[in-house]
Amino acid sequence: MSMMELDREYVAGTYRRFPVEIVSGQGSRWVDDQGKTYVDMGSGIGVNAFGASDEVWRQAVTEQLGKVQHTSNLYYTYPCARLAQLLCEKTGMKKVFFANSGAEANECAIKVARKYSAEKKGGEYFTILTLVNSFHGRTLTTLSATGQECFHSLFQPLTPGFVHAEANNVPALEKCVEENKLAGIMLEVVQGEGGVVPLTGEFLQAAQRLCRERDIPLMIDEVQTGNGRTGYFYGYMAYDLQPDIVSTAKGLGGGLPIGACLMGKKVENVLTYGDHGSTFGGNPVCCAGAVTVVERLTEDFLAQVREKSGYVFKTLENAPGIENVTGLGLMIGIRTTAPAGDVVKLCRERGVLCLTAKDKVRLLPALNIPMEDLTFAVETIAQAAKELANL
Ligand SMILES: *Cc1c(COP(=O)(O)O)cnc(C)c1O
């Protein structure tokens, strides 16, 4: 059996994989089983923040592996405490709960919001408002939170207590807040899986105002937008927001599974003994790697992310075969005249690996991608979009 046949035979058929077997990588370059090198513009869906096999990250991870790989939360470990300290210092949040994925970080966020509101206002204040076209995860509760019917239909009944308002429509948001007994409002500042759609500052400020007026926790899902991806430490910082709850994952661990739910002053003491837990949460190997990611997201480094972003936007906006470019920082969606799948396929043949989101080409390169690799990738994408549009 070939490797791909083996996978198709035994691995659950939930993923449509690209026909490529990756065997190794270094920085923003990945190598397949044929020895072909690609420039990777996806970083494992925004996960390998500093690229493949990054030296600093690898050293911290292997050093911790040589000490102890896991202890459970029955014991103290330094990497976990240090990572929580860094996250709080960089955001002004007060407490961190560690999980293992984005969906789990959101589960924690939802529990915090519900407990806060039940204690403060009564148990009937359990509804979480999220947005149409949002994505918050694949567990049954985070699927409920996800405002896209296509994910829901086969798995009824989902967790009750979620309503969805239209993004960037302030009157619709106000009406929805008016009509429901809310425990929280949860938003992505740029809807990633929904097609890399940034929310407007006006809408986000309105959401924050409504939350403040009614003592509703403002919850920002930074699973994809977090940890430098947007050119800001967290995406909400680009919009001058002060959320009460922030969930994050993807890029935080630099390639190892970790999620985090950050709690601000309003909700810092909501969770107490026994309220929540995770066997793997705060794993010292994952946390040791994450510390090296967070420590390197300095203002200088983030300015470089914004500069690279500017280059991509400038080069691709108004290029032939490209309708528009959306996103923030190195989280970029490209609407091409030709179908996105065709563009991604041609790029792959020419040595550039891209992603899609909805009907767009999506880029989530490593935050430290060298200009040489970025230039090659962007020129390859521009050329493919042009050719496939017959221009
Ligand atoms: C990817 C993603 C999730 C889910 O994260 P998992 O680690 O796959 O559970 C949740 N929210 C947003 C905004 C995401 O992009």
Side-chain angles (χ1 to χ4, degrees):
M1 235 186 249
S2 75
M3 203 291 306
M4 287 182 198
E5 284 165 352
L6 193 70
D7 185 286
R8 278 186 217 116
E9 179 76 17
Y10 293 110
V11 177
T14 57
Y15 302 109
R16 186 152 56 201
R17 301 194 202 280
F18 296 126
V20 179
E21 180 190 348
I22 301 299
V23 294
S24 66
Q26 189 65 58
S28 283
R29 300 200 184 173
W30 280 3
V31 182
D32 74 9
D33 60 322
Q34 311 293 308
K36 177 173 171 179
T37 300
Y38 302 84
V39 171
D40 160 43
M41 292 297 285
S43 65
I45 320 190
V47 166
N48 298 341
F50 285 83
S53 200
D54 167 66
E55 188 60 41
V56 176
W57 174 87
R58 192 155 46 111
Q59 184 162 347
V61 165
T62 50
E63 199 182 302
Q64 182 59 42
L65 268 175
K67 293 176 182 166
V68 62
Q69 76 274 36
H70 172 81
T71 59
S72 86
N73 282 300
L74 298 174
Y75 304 94
Y76 293 93
T77 56
Y78 178 70
C80 172
R82 172 69 180 143
L83 180 59
Q85 177 194 26
L86 277 172
L87 290 172
C88 288
E89 283 176 356
K90 288 202 170 244
T91 58
M93 304 297 276
K94 300 295 182 194
K95 291 270 195 291
V96 181
F97 178 87
F98 288 114
N100 314 288
S101 66
E104 280 178 84
N106 283 337
E107 291 269 347
C108 178
I110 293 161
K111 285 177 80 168
V112 172
R114 282 196 168 165
K115 189 176 174 205
Y116 173 81
S117 297
E119 285 180 343
K120 200 85 191 270
K121 301 178 181 173
E124 71 276 26
Y125 283 80
F126 57 73
T127 301
I128 309 275
L129 187 158
T130 67
L131 299 182
V132 174
N133 198 44
S134 60
F135 183 85
H136 298 293
R138 303 285 198 153
T139 63
L140 286 169
T141 295
T142 57
L143 268 186
S144 265
T146 294
Q148 300 189 59
E149 288 307 322
C150 57
F151 290 108
H152 290 181
S153 47
L154 302 173
F155 304 107
Q156 302 291 338
L158 300 180
T159 307
F162 289 86
V163 290
H164 310 294
E166 194 191 329
N168 292 335
N169 180 340
V170 176
L173 178 70
E174 283 169 341
K175 185 161 180 284
C176 204
V177 170
E178 197 71 49
E179 286 172 352
N180 292 282
K181 292 190 163 66
L182 294 183
I185 296 183
M186 183 156 77
L187 310 164
E188 303 154 88
V189 295
V190 181
Q191 295 186 326
E193 303 303 309
V196 201
V197 186
L199 300 193
T200 63
E202 185 206 356
F203 182 80
L204 289 166
Q205 288 298 333
Q208 176 161 285
R209 174 178 52 77
L210 289 164
C211 284
R212 294 247 168 102
E213 282 169 9
R214 289 159 190 258
D215 191 13
I216 298 167
L218 176 62
M219 314 157 71
I220 305 290
D221 179 343
E222 294 272 0
V223 172
Q224 191 161 154
T225 50
N227 314 300
R229 176 53 54 190
T230 63
Y232 296 83
F233 184 65
Y234 283 126
Y236 72 77
M237 294 171 175
Y239 294 89
D240 203 21
L241 298 171
Q242 274 131 10
D244 302 300
I245 304 174
V246 174
S247 46
T248 191
K250 288 198 170 87
L252 177 61
L256 285 173
I258 184 170
C261 175
L262 282 55
M263 291 158 274
K265 194 161 178 34
K266 186 197 275 292
V267 298
E268 68 171 313
N269 296 316
V270 168
L271 293 183
T272 54
Y273 290 124
D275 280 342
H276 200 36
S278 165
T279 301
F280 287 115
N283 171 278
V285 177
C286 300
C287 287
V291 164
T292 72
V293 171
V294 174
E295 276 179 342
R296 283 184 285 171
L297 298 176
T298 60
E299 199 32 63
D300 276 357
F301 181 82
L302 295 171
Q304 288 171 36
V305 171
R306 297 197 289 271
E307 210 169 291
K308 285 172 187 169
S309 171
Y311 160 74
V312 177
F313 273 82
K314 187 167 61 69
T315 311
L316 295 181
E317 269 173 341
N318 309 313
I322 292 176
E323 314 277 316
N324 63 49
V325 185
T326 58
L328 193 63
L330 289 174
M331 177 173 177
I332 297 169
I334 306 162
R335 187 178 299 289
T336 49
T337 308
D342 295 352
V343 176
V344 168
K345 182 164 184 282
L346 187 56
C347 287
R348 185 170 69 238
E349 286 163 9
R350 294 176 179 178
V352 175
L353 298 174
C354 303
L355 308 170
T356 58
K358 288 276 177 70
D359 51 0
K360 290 182 182 175
V361 177
R362 172 169 52 157
L363 310 180
L364 295 167
L367 303 178
N368 65 345
I369 183 171
M371 266 323 280
E372 183 194 351
D373 289 351
L374 187 62
T375 306
F376 173 71
V378 166
E379 283 170 4
T380 303
I381 294 162
Q383 184 62 30
K386 183 176 162 187
E387 276 176 42
L388 290 168
N390 298 313
L391 296 168

